[in-house]
Amino acid sequence: MARLTRKVSIDPRNYLFTFEVDRRFPKPLPGQFVQVASSIELTLRRPFSVAGASRPGEVELLVELRGKGTRTLAARHEGSTVSLLGPMGNTFSEPSTGEVAVLVAGGIGVAGLRYLAHELAEEGKRLVILVGARTRDALLLGDLLPSATEDDRVRVAFSTDDGSAGHWGTVCELLESELDALGEDRIASPRLYCCGPPAMLREAAAIAAAREIPCEVLLEEIMACGTGACRGCVVMTKHGYRTVCSDGPVFDAAELVFEEAPNA
Amino acid sequence: MPDLRATLGRLRLCNPTVLASGTVGYGPEYASLIDYTTVGAIVTKTITPEPRAGNAPPRLKETPGGLLNAIGLENVGLERFLSEKLREVATVPAALIASVAGFTVNEYAELTGAVTAREEIDAVELNISCPNVERARRPVWDDPEAVAEITRAARATTEKTLLLKLSPNTADILSVAEAGEAAGADALVVANTLSGMRIDVEAGTPSLGNTTGGLSGRALLPVNLANVWKIAGSVSIPIVGSGGIADPGDALEYILAGASAVQIGTALFADPEAPGRIVDGLAEYMRAHDIESIEGCTGLARKEKEREWQRTTAD
């Protein structure tokens, strides 16, 4: 059991929850998720990426209101107890010396990369954070990420589909121009970490493949068990179906078989 | 302490809870969350002669009070099960029931013979009822003759307990149950998931990659409870009730309807501690009602009904 200690509404659609977990709860790794039982009315728990766990005994979740599971969770009051299983799943690989971590988040994909961003920033790693969204909400979610530093060790840039904030266009366009800029810097090589909608992940993976850059993506899928037992949350890879819950949720983009884009 | 032991053929269980096939994989996947010492037995993921990749995703769709799944019997196949998985399965501290499915009568016999030859496996469950695998127009679970043939062939290969898992997707489950009993099944699992589907209206396509799937969870309870009721009046081998059991009261309904044991499946996803909770609840009920053994609970609601019927006909 975990206790909901803080519930902050980032904007009308997005909440940051802080849970106090008991001592037996292992410290999560970036990329891992927890399975939350938000209501006894629901047959399945809801998986959420750990969006922060830097303080011991605490787990943060960044949740976009989408359906019953997320809405019943958002209706919980501070102080109430919630059953939280985990942490589950694998983690990202570390950037090696000389690598720049380039984090690409689309929409609520920020939730999957926030913990990683803070851990890397804490370790003093070179970091580029790119956040894309439909509208200027990106700025609100972006506030939850490490801030840009004056020495350019941490760079942050935004894109919006409607041009209301940052680059007017997709986050993958932003990614291309950032990679071009990094390409002039011969000392550092980029390593990509992506989380967001399928179309964004597919495009980011294609960019990484074309430039021969290592790229990991964090996938989300409807899950039942969360442990690899039920085989419900599979994704197609070059080696056949793999479960997002136990083989992932982090996958090497080069291993995934992305579905063809419609009208491609 | 009330006596919770249950008997299915030669198989003796410490309590009447069995974890349903497909929900706990081969067992170890769930070992960190489920306390297997609290359950009577687990049933493995269904094993087929050859490995199966399973259906295209999405494979799951939650629906009010239930869950639709169309996994498509993804499994490692008999050879890898025996050479690799069995070692892991054997670490589970509960009785082990292997679920098997073939595409011919011979395959059922071969699978049953091969798995029951291993001492780690205590019993076999014939899965004749997976709704997510393509078959001929008349599915085998709807055909008493075919079910009898499969059961007879499997029976000939083993003396270990043979469970037959029926499907609710038939107009005449009773004939299938009777055919299974006559052909030598030791117990009937009543029953598998109910065929169903949903459509994603935004995408304009079925929600499941396989179009249709099997409905499990609480929505299924009244359907399979009625099936247990129907069958328990006509067969004498034990029945294992299955479908929507999440609480002690759900398990008791199946037992009072005529089941000797129950399977827990979908409820594990929300609450991996459900089996222990159910076992505790059964014991509590027995103490409150002065019932010494769980066997004494089986079919109790029928006896009430029969007495009532005798009273009305005597008048």
Side-chain angles (χ1 to χ4, degrees):
Chain A
M1 278 295 172
R3 205 165 66 88
L4 177 59
T5 51
R6 228 154 61 91
K7 178 172 84 170
V8 178
S9 167
I10 309 298
D11 61 60
R13 281 178 65 84
N14 295 287
Y15 283 84
L16 182 69
F17 297 98
T18 307
F19 291 95
E20 194 181 85
V21 291
D22 73 47
R23 223 169 285 165
R24 285 164 305 172
F25 199 92
K27 184 178 163 66
L29 301 168
Q32 288 193 303
F33 65 96
V34 292
Q35 283 265 65
V36 179
S38 61
S39 160
I40 56 158
E41 300 296 314
L42 298 171
T43 305
L44 300 180
R45 286 169 178 261
R46 296 295 187 265
F48 296 106
S49 283
V50 172
S54 305
R55 277 186 296 264
E58 249 183 43
V59 169
E60 288 175 318
L61 305 180
L62 183 56
V63 175
E64 180 186 36
L65 299 189
R66 282 191 189 168
K68 259 192 188 149
T70 49
R71 281 174 207 288
T72 50
L73 184 60
R76 292 298 190 96
H77 296 291
E78 286 177 357
S80 62
T81 56
V82 177
S83 167
L84 205 132
L85 296 181
M88 294 167 159
N90 63 357
T91 185
F92 297 100
S93 44
E94 294 260 339
S96 48
T97 325
E99 278 185 331
V100 179
V102 180
L103 278 55
V104 187
I108 193 60
V110 168
L113 298 178
R114 178 175 180 255
Y115 183 26
L116 175 71
H118 282 290
E119 292 281 291
L120 294 176
E122 188 78 7
E123 290 164 22
K125 294 272 163 56
R126 240 185 106 182
L127 199 58
V128 177
I129 302 169
L130 309 174
V131 181
R134 281 190 292 268
T135 66
R136 56 180 300 135
D137 291 354
L139 287 177
L140 296 168
L141 290 177
D143 283 345
L144 299 168
L145 294 164
S147 326
T149 56
E150 273 175 24
D151 63 357
D152 237 19
R153 196 175 48 75
V154 179
R155 277 177 52 71
V156 183
F158 297 96
S159 73
T160 52
D161 294 349
D162 65 354
S164 57
H167 167 75
W168 186 0
T170 69
V171 72
C172 286
E173 291 165 9
L174 206 52
L175 172 63
E176 293 263 27
S177 61
E178 285 295 327
L179 291 176
D180 287 343
L182 279 172
E184 287 158 22
D185 174 357
R186 297 192 181 275
I187 315 155
S189 57
R191 174 177 284 270
L192 302 192
Y193 301 90
C194 310
C195 184
M200 185 212 98
L201 295 181
R202 186 174 54 228
E203 205 182 328
I207 291 168
R211 293 175 183 249
E212 297 179 4
I213 298 170
C215 175
E216 287 179 332
V217 299
L218 188 150
L219 299 181
E220 60 169 7
E221 192 52 67
I222 296 169
M223 291 177 187
C225 69
T227 67
C230 79
R231 319 303 297 172
C233 62
V234 296
V235 58
M236 185 51 98
T237 72
K238 288 181 176 152
H239 314 287
Y241 287 126
R242 292 290 180 269
T243 57
V244 173
C245 70
S246 65
D247 297 317
V250 179
F251 290 89
D252 179 347
E255 300 285 303
L256 292 174
V257 179
F258 287 96
E259 273 177 48
E260 287 300 310
N263 314 317
Chain B
M1 181 70 187
D3 182 1
L4 284 161
R5 288 174 300 176
T7 306
L8 305 170
R10 296 182 164 202
L11 183 62
R12 303 257 190 278
L13 305 178
C14 64
N15 72 53
T17 61
V18 178
L19 304 191
S21 179
T23 56
V24 291
Y26 301 100
E29 295 94 325
Y30 246 124
S32 63
L33 295 175
I34 296 174
D35 180 1
Y36 286 122
T37 62
T38 64
V39 304
I42 73 161
V43 189
T44 67
K45 180 92 193 121
T46 295
I47 301 139
T48 53
E50 298 299 323
R52 284 177 60 87
N55 289 328
R59 292 177 172 185
L60 300 170
K61 172 68 186 167
E62 198 186 55
T63 191
L67 173 67
L68 284 167
N69 87 79
I71 310 295
L73 295 187
E74 177 181 337
N75 79 101
V76 297
L78 179 64
E79 204 184 302
R80 257 189 75 196
F81 174 76
L82 294 176
S83 65
E84 219 174 276
K85 293 286 171 187
L86 195 54
R87 229 171 307 147
E88 301 171 25
V89 179
T91 64
V92 173
L96 300 175
I97 302 173
S99 170
V100 299
F103 293 86
T104 64
V105 171
N106 261 344
E107 284 182 358
Y108 274 101
E110 282 168 19
L111 286 161
T112 303
V115 295
T116 54
R118 303 294 291 261
E119 61 173 357
E120 298 94 325
I121 298 298
D122 300 299
V124 71
E125 179 178 278
L126 301 176
N127 180 1
I128 55 155
S129 50
C130 178
N132 300 326
V133 179
E134 254 180 78
R135 302 213 194 221
R137 186 183 291 247
R138 184 166 190 194
V140 58
W141 63 76
D142 189 34
D143 183 347
E145 290 289 315
V147 170
E149 222 181 310
I150 288 168
T151 309
R152 245 192 317 273
R155 175 78 289 167
T157 69
T158 186
E159 291 189 340
K160 288 183 180 171
T161 292
L162 192 64
L163 298 104
L164 180 64
K165 188 165 188 174
L166 306 183
S167 167
N169 299 309
T170 164
D172 187 9
I173 196 170
L174 189 53
S175 294
V176 183
E178 288 170 342
E181 180 182 33
D186 293 307
L188 301 170
V189 182
V190 182
N192 209 317
T193 58
L194 193 58
S195 181
M197 72 179 286
R198 295 300 293 263
I199 287 174
D200 177 340
V201 294
E202 288 307 319
T205 57
S207 302
L208 293 171
N210 189 51
T211 303
T212 60
L215 177 68
S216 64
R218 307 198 90 137
L220 184 59
L221 190 144
V223 177
N224 280 352
L225 184 63
N227 282 324
V228 167
W229 186 275
K230 200 187 292 182
I231 293 166
S234 299
V235 305
S236 49
I237 53 176
I239 292 169
V240 183
S242 178
I245 297 172
D247 288 317
D250 303 331
L252 278 163
E253 286 193 58
Y254 276 100
I255 292 167
L256 298 188
S260 299
V262 292
Q263 289 196 350
I264 304 162
T266 302
L268 298 169
F269 300 145
D271 182 12
E273 290 170 6
R277 210 161 39 73
I278 288 170
V279 171
D280 291 345
L282 292 178
E284 201 177 308
Y285 177 88
M286 289 161 67
R287 274 191 295 264
H289 293 262
D290 246 348
I291 301 167
E292 267 169 35
S293 80
I294 192 77
E295 287 176 351
C297 292
T298 296
L300 267 185
R302 319 184 64 83
K303 285 168 194 144
E304 267 313 307
K305 207 73 194 155
E306 278 156 21
R307 273 197 291 273
E308 198 180 293
W309 184 79
Q310 277 161 3
R311 275 197 300 273
T312 49
T313 48
D315 288 341

